């Protein structure tokens, strides 16, 4: 919430780190281009994190597949349909960087297909690995996040034209051309909602979404959004296609070790 300080630091970093172009953005997750990478954790074959999979943060791609980022690579996690629908039929490079388009099976009639779980397979491609499948450097801070921090600071100060300009700069870079119409806001909720929408795509599969929604969900009118078809497989009262920030399921459960040690604790 210390937006004045945060905005100053973000502006300073953006003076030294440029926003990646479409080609640079793709190459960044192949560990080839570092234009907008401010800080990352190097992961290399034979280092102390190699062969540790998800447990040691070595093979980031093993969060989504056992062998490699292909249809025959034993994938077990997919891109959500709600995210894919936002990116489908656009020139946004975040689609082809996050989805293995060539290996995925995209069912345009998934909403009416009873076998869509097998016919609609959206394979994650953000961390395909280089010399070692699924092994990529972990990007911690990037210039794009600094731009989004500046957008937050502007929105908090009711400077909506400036907030929109920061978001449009990022969006235009990811599309490779100026997008019309661009963002424009008249309220804080509109601005923070758009910031959350861009963060959802920009940091897809990087572990930001839950924290982002807890931080800004109420200010931007956003919660967990899922495709209704996907939710058919969830047990219990998922509640349609969205979970608001006030839902109890947003709270992390008490660890089993604690409830086992103290029978007086109830979940």
């Amino acid at each position: 919430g210390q937006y004045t300080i945060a905005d100053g630091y973000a502006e300073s970093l953006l003076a030294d780190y440029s926003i990646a172009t479409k080609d640079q953005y793709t190459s960044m997750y192949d560990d080839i281009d570092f234009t907008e990478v401010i800080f990352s954790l190097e992961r290399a074959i034979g280092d102390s994190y190699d062969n540790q999979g998800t447990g040691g943060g070595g093979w980031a791609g093993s969060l989504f597949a056992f062998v490699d980022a292909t249809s025959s690579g034993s994938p077990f996690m997919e891109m959500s349909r709600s995210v894919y629908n936002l990116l489908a039929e656009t020139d946004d490079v975040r689609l082809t960087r996050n989805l293995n388009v060539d290996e995925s099976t995209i069912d345009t009639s998934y909403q009416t297909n009873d076998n869509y779980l097998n016919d609609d397979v959206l394979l994650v491609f953000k961390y395909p690995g280089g010399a070692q499948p699924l092994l990529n450097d972990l990007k911690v801070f990037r210039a794009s996040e600094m731009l989004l921090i500046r957008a937050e600071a502007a929105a908090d100060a009711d400077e909506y034209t400036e907030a929109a300009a920061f978001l449009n700069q990022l969006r235009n870079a990811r599309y490779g051309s100026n997008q019309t119409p661009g963002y424009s806001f008249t309220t804080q909720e509109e601005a923070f909602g758009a910031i959350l929408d861009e963060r959802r795509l920009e940091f897809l599969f990087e572990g930001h979404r839950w924290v982002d929604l807890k931080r800004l969900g109420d200010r931007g009118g956003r919660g967990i959004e899922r495709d209704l078809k996907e939710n058919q497989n969830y047990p219990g009262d998922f509640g349609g296609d969205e979970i608001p920030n006030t839902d109890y399921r947003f709270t992390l459960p008490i660890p089993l070790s604690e409830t086992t040690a103290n029978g007086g604790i109830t979940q």
Side-chain angles (χ1 to χ4, degrees), residues 3 13 22 56 91 154 176 217 227:
Y3 279 120
L13 283 165
K22 289 181 70 172
D91 293 325
D227 187 271

Side-chain angles (χ1 to χ4, degrees), residues 147-183:
L147 205 58
L148 289 163
I149 287 172
R150 298 211 68 194
E152 278 189 46
D156 183 71
D158 296 325
E159 296 173 351
Y160 302 129
T161 299
E162 189 173 354
F166 289 132
L167 291 186
N168 287 328
Q169 182 183 343
L170 177 61
R171 191 162 175 255
N172 292 342
R174 298 302 178 243
Y175 277 75
S177 61
N178 291 341
Q179 297 302 294
T180 303
Y183 283 118

Side-chain angles (χ1 to χ4, degrees), residues 90-181:
T90 72
D91 293 325
D92 195 326
V93 70
R94 292 172 294 197
L95 173 62
T96 53
R97 176 66 274 175
N98 288 288
L99 180 75
N100 191 333
V101 177
D102 294 333
E103 292 281 332
S104 294
T105 303
I106 301 170
D107 181 12
T108 57
S109 60
Y110 79 98
Q111 291 178 321
T112 57
N113 184 353
D114 292 336
N115 193 42
Y116 85 97
L117 284 175
N118 296 314
D119 295 340
D120 191 57
V121 182
L122 309 176
L123 301 176
V124 177
F125 197 57
K126 192 159 199 173
Y127 307 104
Q132 163 65 53
L134 309 180
L135 178 69
N136 286 107
D137 293 349
L138 304 181
K139 283 68 183 174
V140 181
F141 296 117
R142 295 191 282 113
S144 61
E145 184 170 15
M146 301 305 109
L147 205 58
L148 289 163
I149 287 172
R150 298 211 68 194
E152 278 189 46
D156 183 71
D158 296 325
E159 296 173 351
Y160 302 129
T161 299
E162 189 173 354
F166 289 132
L167 291 186
N168 287 328
Q169 182 183 343
L170 177 61
R171 191 162 175 255
N172 292 342
R174 298 302 178 243
Y175 277 75
S177 61
N178 291 341
Q179 297 302 294
T180 303

Side-chain angles (χ1 to χ4, degrees), residues 13 69 79 112 195 224 250:
L13 283 165
M79 176 183 284
T112 57
I195 290 167
I224 292 179
F250 250 114

Side-chain angles (χ1 to χ4, degrees), residues 31-53:
D31 301 331
I32 296 173
D33 189 278
F34 302 93
T35 299
E36 74 167 54
V37 179
I38 298 170
F39 177 68
S40 64
L41 302 175
E42 184 181 25
R43 296 294 182 257
I45 296 175
D47 69 11
S48 58
Y49 294 96
D50 194 10
N51 293 316
Q52 289 191 24

